[in-house]
């Protein structure tokens, strides 16, 4: 964002900035109920137009994100319905309307609202990317044979690049981190899945190690956002990614057991102790 000359900031702008900062930080910590409460506080409700035009779709966004991260939209009764798609679509449409209201207000009042306008625009970008991820998870859940991992990998690479370039607002930093971590880890896990199926020991090992490092890094990030308390959701996207990694780790150990067994001293232990830490020891079966 370009630097601007200092100016007097209205009380409404300052209050709106405080409310939005709190909302996005709580959302990044998966605390969507608290994020919603922030928007319903008397101080938040007291904000008039154009602020209400922005805060209103954020209520629906928090509800949408809660459904997304819980993966409840993949339940049998919802898998063939576009409920979550429609929710994100409504958020995107409302954010576009809010942006128009801000520009109109700026033209009449002479105020500089670029900070909020860019926040609205970039939030809309993230909503669009989220819809694409919903499509991917639905495709995974609905696949009958081998999922199209190569297509997923290409699509995830594109999303990551677009987010890295298009989202740079200070209030979106933590939310952006969550999306990039999710996309990056999924990319590596899908790549590891392909490498294992192709008996590519080196690539499978490296990508699984990288994804585990990023999973641990992500855990530290959202724990820090939650004030030092672990806020890992019990069900949903994040636990599923952890389970996916654990599953691939077990599968890799089974596929490459002879190689690992031959080099167990280099691994810093025995295969027996190493296998005991696996979610499923396929070799023992």
């Amino acid at each position: 964002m370009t630097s601007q000359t200092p100016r007097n900031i209205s009380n409404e702008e300052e209050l709106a900035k405080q409310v939005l900062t709190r909302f996005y930080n709580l959302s990044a910590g998966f605390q969507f109920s608290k994020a919603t409460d922030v928007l319903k506080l008397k101080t938040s409700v007291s904000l008039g137009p154009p602020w209400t035009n922005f805060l209103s779709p954020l209520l629906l966004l928090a509800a949408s994100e809660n459904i997304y991260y819980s993966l409840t939209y993949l339940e049998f009764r919802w898998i063939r319905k576009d409920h979550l798609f429609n929710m994100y679509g409504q958020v995107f449409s409302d954010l576009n309307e809010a942006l128009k209201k801000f520009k109109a207000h700026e033209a009449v009042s002479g105020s500089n609202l670029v900070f909020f306008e860019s926040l609205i625009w970039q939030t809309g970008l993230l909503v669009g990317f989220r819809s694409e991820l919903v499509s991917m998870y639905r495709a995974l859940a609905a696949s009958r044979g081998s999922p199209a991992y190569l297509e997923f990998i290409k699509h995830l690479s594109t999303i990551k690049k677009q987010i890295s370039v298009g989202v740079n607002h200070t209030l979106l930093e933590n939310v952006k981190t969550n999306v990039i971590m999710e996309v990056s880890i999924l990319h590596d896990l899908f790549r590891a899945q392909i490498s294992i199926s192709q008996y590519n020991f080196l690539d499978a090992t490296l990508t699984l190690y990288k994804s585990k490092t990023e999973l641990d890094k992500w855990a530290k990030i959202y724990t820090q956002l939650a004030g030092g308390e672990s806020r890992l959701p019990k069900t949903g996207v994040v636990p599923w990614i952890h389970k996916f990694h654990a599953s691939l780790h077990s599968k890799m150990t089974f596929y490459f057991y002879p190689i690992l067994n031959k080099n167990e001293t280099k691994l810093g232990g025995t295969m027996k102790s190493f296998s005991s830490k696996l979610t499923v020891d396929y070799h023992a079966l």
Side-chain angles (χ1 to χ4, degrees):
M1 297 177 64
T2 57
S3 59
Q4 301 174 18
T5 55
R7 65 182 182 85
N8 293 326
I9 301 177
S10 70
N11 291 333
E12 274 199 332
E13 287 181 53
E14 187 60 38
L15 176 56
K17 188 174 181 179
Q18 292 174 10
V19 170
L20 292 167
T21 299
R22 185 66 176 150
F23 171 82
Y24 282 106
N25 283 341
L26 285 168
S27 296
F30 307 112
Q31 301 179 69
F32 303 112
S33 179
K34 289 185 178 180
T36 298
D37 291 340
V38 168
L39 300 180
K40 293 181 178 180
L41 291 173
K42 288 184 178 180
T43 50
S44 303
V45 176
S46 66
L47 289 167
W51 315 106
T52 50
N53 299 103
F54 184 19
L55 300 185
S56 180
L58 292 184
L59 284 169
L60 184 56
L61 176 59
S64 303
E65 291 287 87
N66 189 43
I67 294 173
Y68 173 82
Y69 276 106
S70 67
L71 287 181
T72 54
Y73 67 95
L74 294 181
E75 293 176 359
F76 180 77
R77 56 177 177 159
W78 296 113
I79 187 66
R80 297 184 181 279
K81 298 181 180 180
D82 294 328
H83 180 61
L84 186 56
F85 266 124
N86 294 336
M87 290 175 68
Y88 278 124
Q90 187 62 54
V91 173
F92 187 80
S93 177
D94 290 346
L95 286 173
N96 282 334
E97 287 300 314
L99 185 57
K100 294 177 183 177
K101 296 289 186 182
F102 268 77
K103 289 185 178 296
H105 181 81
E106 190 176 40
V108 174
S109 65
S111 54
N112 188 334
L113 301 177
V114 174
F115 177 87
F116 300 98
E117 290 170 358
S118 63
L119 178 59
I120 295 172
W121 171 255
Q122 292 179 33
T123 299
L125 288 179
L126 287 173
V127 169
F129 293 132
R130 183 68 83 212
S131 295
E132 294 182 39
L133 290 173
V134 168
S135 295
M136 185 195 69
Y137 282 118
R138 288 179 67 175
L140 275 172
S143 60
R144 291 293 177 265
S146 179
Y149 290 121
L150 277 176
E151 292 301 316
F152 291 152
I153 288 173
K154 292 177 183 177
H155 197 46
L156 290 169
S157 296
T158 300
I159 291 176
K160 183 177 179 180
K161 290 178 182 177
Q162 291 176 337
I163 292 176
S164 299
V165 175
V167 180
N168 53 26
H169 198 286
T170 54
L171 296 193
L172 291 174
E173 181 178 351
N174 293 327
V175 175
K176 173 183 177 180
T177 296
N178 277 340
V179 179
I180 286 185
M181 293 299 289
E182 177 185 354
V183 167
S184 180
I185 294 169
L186 282 174
H187 175 281
D188 288 340
L189 292 179
F190 291 151
R191 179 176 166 181
Q193 171 67 47
I194 294 175
S195 296
I196 293 172
S197 66
Q198 295 176 343
Y199 294 93
N200 188 332
F201 173 72
L202 181 59
D203 192 68
T205 304
L206 291 176
T207 50
L208 277 179
Y209 177 80
K210 181 184 175 185
S211 61
K212 182 60 169 67
T213 301
E214 291 186 325
L215 275 170
D216 292 341
K217 180 181 177 181
W218 195 11
K220 290 180 181 179
I221 291 173
Y222 53 66
T223 298
Q224 185 177 26
L225 290 173
E229 298 181 20
S230 178
R231 294 282 182 175
L232 175 65
K234 295 181 180 180
T235 59
V237 171
V238 180
W240 179 82
I241 292 177
H242 278 270
K243 291 177 182 177
F244 187 21
H245 175 273
S247 174
L248 290 177
H249 193 193
S250 296
K251 186 183 293 186
M252 185 205 74
T253 305
F254 175 68
Y255 272 58
F256 303 113
Y257 193 91
I259 299 175
L260 294 170
N261 189 47
K262 185 178 180 180
N263 295 276
E264 63 178 1
T265 56
K266 296 179 182 179
L267 298 174
T270 64
M271 281 304 298
K272 184 177 181 180
S273 62
F274 184 68
S275 299
S276 66
K277 300 176 183 179
L278 299 174
T279 303
V280 180
D281 186 358
Y282 291 109
H283 190 268
L285 298 176

